[in-house]
Amino acid sequence: MADKIIKVAVAGNPNTGKTTLINAIAGTNLHVGNWPGVTLEKKEARFKYRDYEIHLIDLPGTYSLSNDTAEEKIAVEFLIKEKPDVVIDVVDSTNLERNLYLTVQLLELEAPLVVALNMWDEAKSKGIDIDVEKLEKLLCIRAVPTSAVKEEGIKELLDAVIEIYERKEKPKCVLHFEDQVEEHIKGLIDKIKEVQPILLDLYPARYLALSLIEGNTSFIDLSLSEDIQKYVQNVRKEIEKLYHKDPVTFIVEERYSIIISIYEQVVKKHVVKSVDITFLLDKVFLHKLFGLPIFFLLMWILFEFTFELSSPYVDWLDETLSSFIAPLTAQLLSSLGASEWLQSFVSEGIIGGVGFVLVFVPVLFFLYVFMAFLEGSGYMARAAFLMDRFMSVLGLSGKSFIPMIIGFGCNVPAVYATRTLENPKEKILTVLMIPFMSCGARLTVYAFFVTIFFTQHKTAVIMSLYLLGIAVAVIIAFILQKTYFKSQSLPFILELPPYRLPTMRFILRNAWIKTRAFLYEAGTFILATSVVIWFLLHFPVGVKKTEDSVFGHISKAIAPVFEPLGFGNWQAAGALMSGFVAKEVVIATMGNIYAGEVIQETEEEKIDIKEKLVQMGTGFLQANVEAGKKLLSIFGIDLAGGEEEEEFEKTLLDTVKNAFTPLTAFSFLVFLLLYTPCMATVFAIKQELGSWKWAGISVVISFTSAWIVSFTVYHIGKIFF
Amino acid sequence: MKLSEAEKGKRYRICSLKFPPHMKRKLLELGLFPGQEIEIVQDAPFGGPVKIKVKDYCLALRRSEAENIEVEEKNGR
């Protein structure tokens, strides 16, 4: 017999431990993505429990179901249209009163409810006693105490889900408002039944009636008959006259008065003598003077943590792929009699492409670990609190700051870090600003150029580029703010949840689920792009010089575009084109192009598999040791030796020196800083914002601004130099 | 008086909210309705948001929003 499928939606306020609970229920079955067309995270899982197949869908965290924000719209739409079999409402037991507001609205929606009284253990230790049976009776629902962190109550919760599912018919007990209002509600429902009964087939009656009175009608797809509109107007007027309040205030207060009466019957508080840790910690972390320095210190640690700790693993992966897997495959292919061309395609085009994907995995994993910690501990909200004043100037909130900082390391994880921004508009704007944050890969190109042209002013030139990036980002944000995003912004209301210590299990699981999502989705795109570039470089078959390849021809064709910027030679154009793959390959491409030589030849060397495997193993161990050392050095203990100086080929240095003047070199660097982000970033944008549209817009914006700024820099420069 | 003028550590009662409808609803739903008791706990540097306590939890509000919330000091106790 086929298993019965139960569709379960999980709803709840933000900061109720919803994510942890879902992780605990679904394990690593979880798949992260975005809600269709919207930039909000969507988690889904399918798993078996007893004789049932459970489909779990995580609704965005909301405080209410009022259809105002994108989160609420998704939740309401899903509940009304998809009609889940069971809804789990995750509430924070330590903050039951406010959390019940959503519960009451879910009841109005006639959702088959199971309430998960989460953080039960915490409530107990705070001396909060909740009478579960009484709560169940008063609300006519099932309620199960849970502790997501300790993974307690999970089985009971799932059993309750099945019980609700099997019970089929919904228990109905209506929570009553004041009698006169109830009569109005009843009258309105009768009116709808009479005039436009189809509405009642589509929407739950009480929710519909209350929404009409509240003036919240955006979820209704049909046009309302005039009769109903008139009736609603009348009810609204009556309420205003009777209670001297506007209907919205009145209804919210009615809900709360029900909640307060339930709360008082169900919750008993004992005075427990304990220190309010959150209060004390906030005294430090939100301190007027020390708050910001502590924040910047933490950001610095985050930065170091993400990029320094991941770099040994990145190097190791890189090394393994380029000096073991790739030549080994080539060797294997040649022993099978494959052509040189095919060998090069597989080892450079395909494995090279896979390499690009893998390089990001350690970086993303470490970033997600730290982000999960900041998020789970409650500090993220504090960071937003501290930075809000500055970011609000750009129409953003304090939360946008962290992704931008990460952008200086690498734009890819930065784009993924915007996942913590709930407001879709803010998220889009932040994502569009990120490519202007000068990443580590661009730094390698700057370093190359400044050693040739600006030996006297190395730091000043590099510094000016970083600042220019920020300035352009700010200008772009400002323009978008005044044009595209000008509609009214929501109020900045941010909950400051109590500090909690997230468990290692939660952090690692969370980080892994998200990293895996990147691997699955970005993999194909990055691989495909790298294959395309490989073909451009190697066509027509047997091409010996880059200049004669399709790549060379395209470079020559687009070179005139850069003429007004001072570097109209095809070599520069080609380098910029390859910079789309990854900015750090710009130098390598230049090496190829200017040297005018045959495209990289893999060394013919017999690969000893056993020896290489040992090397791979020891390499990984070394990477761990390296990471350990770096961890110590972040906290001030320096074990690692000095940084090695990068060395460039003499001939390349000379040719580049002849091809550029200091001014055109600077103009080139400005262009390199601002133009089209690398392919991994473009894909990250597509993935995070859920459509190619925004990825395309980002490419256009950055290319245009790069051209304009470089043009300006070059022509102003010409006057002075 | 306005919430933005309120003193840290004292308790106040909300009298009215002067916001456009959808903003007002958000605040109401979070429990900031007239009659509710609130307290300013902390404020951010450089005129940033303020941290307030409502019911059992803490919220941050921008100063520009705190200006639209009318409060009165809670007498006695």
Side-chain angles (χ1 to χ4, degrees), chain A residues 643-716:
Chain A
E643 300 275 305
E644 70 254 56
E645 278 280 309
E646 281 206 60
E647 277 185 26
F648 303 108
E649 263 180 85
K650 260 249 147 61
T651 47
L652 180 60
L653 286 174
D654 286 336
T655 31
V656 171
K657 205 171 194 167
N658 293 329
F660 287 91
T661 69
L663 180 60
T664 56
F666 189 70
S667 172
F668 179 79
L669 288 183
V670 168
F671 195 85
L672 181 101
L673 158 76
L674 302 172
Y675 88 122
T676 318
C678 69
M679 59 172 177
T681 308
V682 172
F683 188 76
I685 295 175
K686 186 257 159 185
Q687 215 176 342
E688 259 321 290
L689 299 186
S691 80
W692 283 110
K693 185 183 115 190
W694 288 111
I697 290 175
S698 170
V699 168
V700 171
I701 289 179
S702 45
F703 197 87
T704 327
S705 47
W707 201 92
I708 295 171
V709 178
S710 288
F711 183 83
T712 317
V713 165
Y714 178 60
H715 285 272
I716 292 178

Side-chain angles (χ1 to χ4, degrees), chain A residues 518-567:
Chain A
F518 166 80
L519 261 177
Y520 278 155
E521 291 175 49
T524 45
F525 174 77
I526 297 178
L527 184 66
T529 315
S530 126
V531 165
V532 167
I533 297 280
W534 185 90
F535 268 105
L536 293 182
L537 277 166
H538 291 74
F539 258 96
V541 184
V543 66
K544 281 283 179 275
K545 279 183 179 172
T546 311
E547 191 177 351
D548 303 328
S549 67
V550 178
F551 185 87
H553 287 294
I554 298 177
S555 305
K556 279 176 192 161
I558 60 169
V561 174
F562 305 111
E563 192 66 59
L565 315 181
F567 47 91

Side-chain angles (χ1 to χ4, degrees), chain A residues 462-521:
Chain A
I462 292 179
M463 205 54 198
S464 71
L465 287 165
Y466 275 82
L467 292 176
L468 184 68
I470 298 171
V472 173
V474 167
I475 293 167
I476 298 279
F478 206 77
I479 294 171
L480 288 172
Q481 192 58 40
K482 288 277 174 275
T483 53
Y484 189 79
F485 294 99
K486 62 180 163 199
S487 65
Q488 206 172 29
S489 62
L490 280 163
F492 176 74
I493 312 174
L494 181 76
E495 191 179 353
L496 298 170
Y499 288 101
R500 296 186 169 100
L501 198 64
T503 61
M504 206 55 191
R505 197 161 164 184
F506 164 75
I507 292 175
L508 292 179
R509 207 184 258 175
N510 207 17
W512 171 237
I513 289 168
K514 287 180 176 164
T515 312
R516 195 186 52 187
F518 166 80
L519 261 177
Y520 278 155
E521 291 175 49

Side-chain angles (χ1 to χ4, degrees), chain A residues 305-323:
Chain A
F305 186 87
T306 307
F307 296 106
E308 289 290 309
L309 288 191
S310 61
S311 72
Y313 298 99
V314 170
D315 293 344
W316 172 72
L317 278 170
D318 207 29
E319 178 68 26
T320 306
L321 276 168
S322 64
S323 75

Side-chain angles (χ1 to χ4, degrees), chain A residues 91-376:
Chain A
V91 303
D92 174 357
S93 306
T94 66
N95 186 8
L96 194 61
E97 202 177 330
R98 190 204 65 208
N99 274 264
L100 282 178
Y101 190 85
L102 181 70
T103 315
V104 167
Q105 282 199 313
L106 284 166
L107 287 171
E108 286 165 7
L109 261 170
E110 290 169 28
L113 266 197
V114 178
V115 170
L117 291 161
N118 203 23
M119 304 191 176
W120 182 258
D121 51 329
E122 208 177 305
K124 269 204 158 158
S125 67
K126 278 190 177 167
I128 301 168
D129 254 345
I130 302 173
D131 187 338
V132 181
E133 265 173 54
K134 203 164 197 177
L135 182 73
E136 288 186 321
K137 215 189 269 162
L138 289 171
L139 291 170
C140 302
I141 44 128
R142 283 292 324 266
V144 182
T146 59
S147 163
V149 180
K150 296 182 178 158
E151 306 209 350
E152 282 167 8
I154 307 298
K155 209 176 133 308
E156 290 80 355
L157 185 65
L158 288 174
D159 289 339
V161 165
I162 289 166
E163 191 191 313
I164 297 288
Y165 173 78
E166 290 295 349
R167 202 194 279 156
K168 299 292 179 212
E169 101 278 13
K170 305 165 199 162
K172 269 199 184 166
C173 63
V174 178
L175 303 167
H176 276 286
F177 292 174
E178 287 210 13
D179 289 347
Q180 275 156 309
V181 190
E182 284 300 332
E183 261 166 48
H184 281 307
I185 295 171
K186 200 170 159 290
L188 179 54
I189 294 175
D190 287 342
K191 188 83 196 167
I192 299 170
K193 215 177 268 170
E194 183 194 315
V195 189
Q196 224 175 345
I198 186 159
L199 285 172
L200 293 176
D201 297 333
L202 292 173
Y203 311 107
R206 194 177 172 83
Y207 181 79
L208 177 67
L210 286 171
S211 300
L212 286 171
I213 299 172
E214 284 180 291
N216 153 35
T217 51
S218 59
F219 67 95
I220 302 171
D221 303 323
L222 307 168
S223 51
L224 294 167
S225 85
E226 255 175 53
D227 258 13
I228 293 175
Q229 288 185 26
K230 253 185 218 151
Y231 197 95
V232 170
Q233 281 312 317
N234 220 16
V235 173
R236 290 172 66 100
K237 263 185 216 142
E238 288 283 313
I239 289 176
E240 292 220 49
K241 217 161 65 192
L242 258 164
Y243 303 99
H244 306 288
K245 281 173 191 162
D246 66 281
V248 175
T249 312
F250 177 75
I251 286 177
V252 176
E253 284 184 14
E254 280 299 292
R255 289 197 185 109
Y256 263 116
S257 69
I258 291 171
I259 290 162
I260 290 166
S261 109
I262 292 174
Y263 182 80
E264 275 165 6
Q265 292 178 65
V266 167
V267 178
K268 297 228 160 28
K269 279 188 187 170
H270 312 283
V271 185
V272 177
K273 267 200 183 168
S274 69
V275 223
D276 188 344
I277 296 167
T278 295
F279 183 78
L280 290 176
L281 284 177
D282 266 353
K283 283 245 170 237
V284 180
F285 285 129
L286 298 185
H287 191 274
K288 268 203 158 170
L289 289 176
F290 308 130
L292 277 173
I294 292 173
F295 170 65
F296 287 118
L297 183 75
L298 282 171
M299 280 304 99
W300 181 75
I301 292 176
L302 161 72
F303 202 77
E304 291 279 305
F305 186 87
T306 307
F307 296 106
E308 289 290 309
L309 288 191
S310 61
S311 72
Y313 298 99
V314 170
D315 293 344
W316 172 72
L317 278 170
D318 207 29
E319 178 68 26
T320 306
L321 276 168
S322 64
S323 75
F324 178 38
I325 311 270
L328 182 71
T329 324
Q331 190 180 301
L332 214 78
L333 283 171
S334 84
S335 72
L336 289 172
S339 67
E340 217 171 275
W341 196 74
L342 184 68
Q343 285 174 42
S344 158
F345 171 70
V346 173
S347 61
E348 285 168 37
I350 295 187
I351 298 179
V354 171
F356 272 128
V357 180
L358 287 182
V359 157
F360 288 107
V361 169
V363 184
L364 282 178
F365 185 77
F366 279 103
L367 172 78
Y368 285 141
V369 164
F370 208 78
M371 295 282 281
F373 181 78
L374 285 184
E375 194 71 30

Side-chain angles (χ1 to χ4, degrees), chain A residues 35-42 58-60 62 65 67 69-80:
Chain A
W35 285 89
V38 215
T39 67
L40 295 167
E41 185 169 278
K42 181 188 196 182
D58 180 23
L59 299 180
T62 56
L65 295 174
N67 257 305
T69 61
E71 290 91 333
E72 291 165 8
K73 283 199 173 85
I74 289 168
V76 171
E77 184 135 314
F78 190 87
L79 293 168
I80 289 177

